[in-house]
Amino acid sequence: MSSDVGHNGSEARRRGRGRRPADEVRAEVVAAAGQILMEEGMSAFTIERVAARSGASKVTLYKWWPSKGALALDGYTHAVSHDLEFPDTGDVEADLTSQVRAFIGVLNGPAGRAIAELIGQSQTDHELAAAFRERYSAPRRALAVHTLGIAQGRGQIRADVDPEVVVDQLWGAGYHRLLIPDQPLTVEFADALVATIMAGLRPR
């Protein structure tokens, strides 16, 4: 019996005890999507498999997500959200180092393969591209910009620095090494990246 069938059986028994709240169903669908994506990648990711593992109907999934790519993206976001939390210790360099290290660590695991596949698929899947911007990249960018803005208010970063450009420099460098793997994604790279960029950000 496959793991999906096993999960489906347990969910069927749960449904037998009554209708599940929509929020609970959605949370279980997203968790199942993340599990399948991390375990096997986009090549094995289907609406049918997510429905079987979560115990939700395919009709429900198609009602909530415009494409399997959009569902996979929500699964990815759920799977990595804890790892990519942004610390705030009051020391912007330490916080950036911690976050970029975590980001590089995520890219080095199954999530790295998954996000590379999602980025690739988003080039031809317009619904996935829109979901990527709205549900993942834009919120994460906004969080980083907010953190850098706080550091500017504390006088740790020059006031004339554009936080949007810093975001592209820091996290864009990680995506560059993921998608064009000429150089490895390492902790040393994360540390050197932050140290180099901070050297230009500190008040003169």
Side-chain angles (χ1 to χ4, degrees):
M1 176 181 295
S2 73
S3 59
D4 295 337
V5 173
H7 279 282
N8 192 28
S10 63
E11 297 302 338
R13 290 192 295 273
R14 186 183 306 179
R15 289 198 305 275
R17 295 196 294 269
R19 185 181 181 85
R20 292 181 292 162
D23 287 348
E24 179 183 321
V25 175
R26 191 180 187 95
E28 292 182 358
V29 168
V30 169
Q35 290 166 3
I36 294 170
L37 184 65
M38 296 301 165
E39 289 167 4
E40 302 180 59
M42 280 299 290
S43 62
F45 189 95
T46 64
I47 293 287
E48 290 76 14
R49 290 196 66 191
V50 176
R53 183 170 294 198
S54 66
S57 71
K58 289 188 292 182
V59 172
T60 296
L61 270 61
Y62 280 115
K63 179 174 69 175
W64 287 343
W65 286 276
S67 68
K68 78 166 189 176
L71 174 55
L73 177 66
D74 279 359
Y76 174 85
T77 302
H78 172 79
V80 304
S81 59
H82 176 72
D83 293 326
L84 295 182
E85 290 177 354
F86 220 120
D88 182 9
T89 66
D91 181 340
V92 67
E93 183 166 1
D95 292 344
L96 287 174
T97 299
S98 176
Q99 211 289 326
V100 173
R101 279 186 173 192
F103 174 61
I104 295 302
V106 165
L107 295 185
N108 265 323
R113 176 197 64 197
I115 196 65
E117 291 176 328
L118 288 168
I119 290 170
Q121 187 168 322
S122 71
Q123 306 310 300
T124 55
D125 183 337
H126 299 303
E127 291 173 333
L128 173 57
F132 192 94
R133 288 190 298 271
E134 295 167 8
R135 302 181 192 179
Y136 182 73
S137 60
R140 294 220 53 85
R141 175 180 283 270
L143 178 59
V145 167
H146 176 70
T147 298
L148 293 166
I150 291 174
Q152 286 179 313
R154 291 170 176 162
Q156 297 175 331
I157 292 177
R158 297 197 332 262
D160 63 330
V161 167
D162 183 349
E164 296 280 359
V165 174
V166 178
V167 170
D168 290 330
Q169 291 174 316
L170 283 172
W171 288 273
Y175 284 121
H176 178 80
R177 287 203 176 191
L178 173 70
L179 298 173
I180 306 175
D182 294 335
Q183 296 292 324
L185 288 160
T186 63
V187 171
E188 291 76 18
F189 166 65
D191 292 349
L193 181 62
V194 175
T196 299
I197 291 176
M198 280 300 303
L201 298 183
R202 295 189 189 92
R204 298 186 179 92

